[in-house]
Every structure is written in C-alpha cells, then in structure tokens.
Amino acid sequence: MKLLTVVGARPQFIKAAVVSRAIAGFNERRHVDGRIQEVLVHTGQHYEDGMSAVFFRELGIPAPAYHLGVGSGPHGQQTGRMLDGLERVMQQAGPDCVLVYGDTNSTLAGGLAASKLQIPIAHVEAGLRSYNRAMPEEINRIIVDHLSTLLFCPTTRSVKNLSCEGITKGVHLVGDVMYDSLLHNQERAGQKDGILKSLGVRPGQYALATIHRAQTTDHPETLRNILVALGYLGLPVLVPLHPRTKAALRTAGVDRPSGEVRLVSPVSYHEMLALERHARLILTDSGGVQKEAFLLRVPCVTLRNETEWEETVEAGWNRLAGTDPDRIVTAARASLAEGPTDPGHPYGDGHAAEAILEVLAGV
Ligand code: UD1
Ligand code: UDP
C-alpha cells in the first residue's frame, strides 16, 4: 500500500519520525507485496533550520519526496497554498491513504485535500479536545477527525470525546507516539546534557519555559505579564524562543528581560529533552512540552486555562495557570513545594507506532 504522509510543523517531524521508523521495521518483516511505501510531503509551514531541518538530521528522517515551500502567512492563505500543492501531489502520487498528525494548518490542508479526492485519511492524535474554539488548532482537529477514516487515539479520553461527537467507526486506541518517541530518544538525549553547561544552568536548579500560542503571543500585555511572572520564580528560567515569540517580544518591547530570564534560540529535540529532564519546573503553553514534562516527571505549569491533555492535570503533575502573573507565580510555588505523586500510564505502552501500522497494514 502507498501511504502519503503530510508534515509541516516542528512537532509533526518528531511524531512522523516514530511512525516512519516503525514502517521501516514493518517492511523488513514483510514480503515485497505486503510492504508499506511511504511518500513524505513537507508543506513548508516551518522552514528555518532550527524549526525544521534540525529534526530531519537528528532523527534520521528521510528527505521529503515533495517540499511545497508554503512558508508563513495568514491562516486562510497558508492553508489555501497547502491545499493547492497537496491536491497536485496527491493526484500525482496516487496514495491509498493519507496520514496526518495533530492539529496544525498542515493537518487541516492534508485532510481537506485528501477528502476532496476521496482518499481515506488516517489521523494520528485523533479525538483531542480543549473545548476552546478560539484556538485554531481546535477547529483543525474537529474538522480532520470528522473527515478521517482511521482515527488513532492516544488516550481513553480522546476515544470518549469522539464518541460524544458520534464518531465510533475506525477509532483505535493506540497510545501516544510522543511517548514512543521519548522512550526511543532518551538515551541519545542524555548525550546532550552538555547543553545545560553551555546555557549556564545546573541540573535541578532552573526552570524551562516555552511560549508560542497565538492567544499569548498576539497580545503584548499578556506576553509582558508572563515575563514578569517568570522573573519572580526565584530560579534562572531558560526560554527557547519560537520565532513567532521572538518577533512578538520585540514588538511588545520586552525582548531584553532583566534578571534570571534567559531568552535563547530554539533547541533540537534531543537538547530539549535534556533541558526538560533536568529542569526543576517547566512552564509552557505547548501541548507536546506539557506531556513531556509529565512523562519525565517534572512538575509543569501550563500557561493556558484549559488543556487537551487533562490526564497530566488529574495526575497532579500539571497546573493550569492561564496568563495572569499572580496565578503563574502561585502555581509555580505550589508545584515546587509539592512532593511527587504516582502519575499512572495514560499514554500507552510506548508501542503506539506499531499499533498504528498493524491497523494500516490491514487497510
Ligand atoms: C503552529 C501550529 C501549532 C503548533 C506549532 C508548533 C497552526 C495553526 N499552529 O503554530 O498548533 O503548536 O506550529 O510549533 O498550524 N515562523 C518563522 N520561521 C519558521 C516558522 C514560523 O519565522 O520556520 C514565524 C512566522 O512569523 C510565522 C509564525 O512564526 O508567521 C507562526 O508560524 P505558524 O507555522 O503559522 O504557526 P505556529 O505558531 O508555529
Ligand atoms: N521542542 C524542541 N525544541 C524547542 C521547543 C520544543 O525540540 O526549542 C520540541 C518539544 O520537545 C516537543 C515539541 O517540540 O517534542 C513540541 O512542539 P511545539 O511546542 O512547537 O508544538 P505543540 O506540541 O504545542 O503543538
């Protein structure tokens, strides 16, 4: 079978690396007829070396068969360009199935292009809901889930969310590919511990923060508030900056924070895992980083009012603090003071990619 995979944004390279590796393993065990041929398409949503190529190099992802070079732009324009390019590529490649990941505009365009051409869609990370439709990602997820033939859910909650929307056919609870990824990359990430020294921090004695959601970066006052809160934690705070945030901080006039807040360039995945593992506390509005904090047993403060990864909150490892500086500081202090709890294993057994392939191979 021919599988066309659409990726475009940083977390999608990480997720696709896991499944692509599992495809290679699957093919080794099959005769030629039963093999899966993967055609990788990069929309170009993320394009700077530190947001794209670094992940291909570090995770050994093969070069994409097609690169659409779409770049940045308003949502409609960006998604429209992707749709145009993806339709052509899909017509040319003639896949049996289109595989999309997560909730970005690349996911939406992949889903829309495939559905117009009546190609079955497989959605990895199906069924997640924040129930906040002001997030562009929430719209993308809902639409793609409703277009998909195969829905690969990371958690029992995501299966339930789909069921509440009447989607029960083609739903498979497989676990979370980000957990697979973390387990696979942990050892190599350990070799990147030198990043702590080069960024001037010591294990267990710093906080790590990431911010990139539009709800946060589009409002200068919100950004200023977050930086003020980070300055009150009583710890050095490393902030690897998404390019969107870097630009927004400049606009908000807070790109040179004083004291312990250190703005740095985005880091590679292995470097990020190393920084996360040794952090005393993580503060973030990222979906993936919240979950990595949980999986690495580092307390997390989420700079949003809701999360699609509720299990992390229920297990006591994640506090939702929004963007109010007092709430952030209070949540951070509570997280630092609290002892560890047993978080359980809500994200599968680390073999989500294999479970996905077993299903795909049967299509
Ligand atoms: C996108 C996803 C978001 C995901 C995030 C992962 C959507 C709607 N959002 O958000 O769900 O969490 O990726 O990181 O798809 N930029 C650069 N260089 C780059 C990429 C982006 O400078 O290589 C800047 C551009 O100014 C661009 C802005 O960042 O306008 C936002 O990029 P975009 O891909 O539109 O959205 P993200 O915020 O990255
Ligand atoms: N990440 C990274 N370098 C960074 C910041 C994040 O490799 O400088 C990784 C992080 O470890 C996680 C993924 O990128 O695996 C999360 O991506 P992001 O926060 O951009 O998007 P989201 O998960 O919110 O969609």
Side-chain angles (χ1 to χ4, degrees):
M1 76 108 82
K2 191 188 266 189
L3 184 70
L4 187 142
T5 300
V6 179
V7 292
R10 170 165 69 186
Q12 293 170 330
F13 310 136
I14 298 167
K15 292 165 198 172
V18 182
V19 177
S20 295
R21 198 178 51 251
I23 291 176
F26 175 90
N27 284 343
E28 271 173 26
R29 300 189 298 273
R30 291 292 184 290
H31 291 296
V32 177
D33 289 351
R35 288 186 184 164
I36 295 174
Q37 184 199 345
E38 186 180 36
V39 179
L40 187 64
V41 185
H42 187 328
T43 62
Q45 178 170 350
H46 287 175
Y47 44 88
E48 285 178 14
D49 188 88
M51 294 296 290
S52 173
V54 68
F55 300 97
F56 283 76
R57 288 195 299 273
E58 192 172 70
L59 300 174
I61 308 168
Y66 298 90
H67 196 303
L68 304 180
V70 161
S72 306
H75 286 262
Q77 186 191 78
Q78 186 185 51
T79 312
R81 282 190 188 139
M82 291 177 190
L83 199 52
D84 182 27
L86 286 169
E87 185 173 64
R88 289 167 208 258
V89 166
M90 287 178 197
Q91 279 171 324
Q92 199 179 326
D96 302 296
C97 182
V98 167
L99 183 64
V100 293
Y101 291 91
D103 53 20
T104 72
N105 287 346
S106 298
T107 319
L108 175 65
L112 282 177
S115 69
K116 298 278 180 190
L117 296 170
Q118 304 199 347
I119 304 167
I121 301 159
H123 185 202
V124 175
E125 268 192 10
L128 294 177
R129 297 289 182 269
S130 65
Y131 295 102
N132 174 2
R133 287 209 183 189
M135 288 177 74
E137 292 83 3
E138 182 77 352
I139 308 291
N140 294 346
R141 294 179 191 121
I142 293 171
I143 294 173
V144 174
D145 280 341
H146 283 260
L147 296 176
S148 293
T149 306
L150 294 173
L151 299 102
F152 294 117
C153 293
T155 58
T156 50
R157 182 183 301 271
S158 52
V159 173
K160 270 193 213 132
N161 291 342
L162 290 175
S163 159
C164 289
E165 293 174 24
I167 306 176
T168 51
K169 216 173 137 216
V171 175
H172 299 269
L173 176 61
V174 292
D176 187 355
V177 290
M178 291 293 277
Y179 182 36
D180 297 21
S181 177
L182 188 130
L183 293 177
H184 180 80
N185 288 288
Q186 234 167 1
E187 207 177 302
R188 264 170 290 168
Q191 292 159 15
K192 296 282 176 157
D193 283 355
I195 179 122
L196 272 72
K197 199 168 176 202
S198 57
L199 294 177
V201 289
R202 294 207 190 127
Q205 295 183 25
Y206 65 95
L208 177 70
T210 76
I211 315 156
H212 75 275
R213 294 271 156 221
Q215 303 109 285
T216 316
T217 58
D218 288 357
H219 305 284
E221 198 52 37
T222 306
L223 264 183
R224 276 187 217 115
N225 282 341
I226 290 177
L227 283 205
V228 166
L230 295 183
Y232 271 94
L233 299 184
L235 284 168
V237 187
L238 286 181
V239 192
L241 282 183
H242 186 294
R244 172 204 277 281
T245 317
K246 187 175 181 183
L249 286 172
R250 211 178 303 125
T251 309
V254 282
D255 53 336
R256 289 171 190 276
S258 54
E260 293 282 58
V261 181
R262 303 174 192 174
L263 307 180
V264 301
S265 298
V267 294
S268 78
Y269 178 56
H270 288 162
E271 289 170 338
M272 188 64 180
L273 290 182
L275 290 176
E276 287 172 344
R277 164 176 303 286
H278 295 294
R280 179 74 187 83
L281 177 70
I282 290 177
L283 303 102
T284 189
D285 61 4
S286 155
V289 175
Q290 275 175 64
K291 218 163 358 122
E292 283 163 355
F294 171 86
L295 294 167
L296 293 166
R297 311 299 184 235
V298 179
C300 181
V301 172
T302 290
L303 307 170
R304 290 171 49 193
N305 290 315
E306 75 292 304
T307 178
E308 43 295 322
W309 302 104
E310 272 287 335
E311 305 79 17
T312 59
V313 177
E314 284 162 4
W317 284 86
N318 189 4
R319 285 184 160 79
L320 299 176
T323 55
D324 174 76
D326 291 335
R327 274 181 71 198
I328 295 171
V329 174
T330 306
R333 292 201 173 135
S335 299
L336 289 169
E338 212 162 69
T341 53
D342 176 13
H345 292 278
Y347 296 116
D349 61 2
H351 295 284
E354 285 93 332
I356 288 170
L357 283 193
E358 287 307 321
V359 176
L360 285 174
V363 171

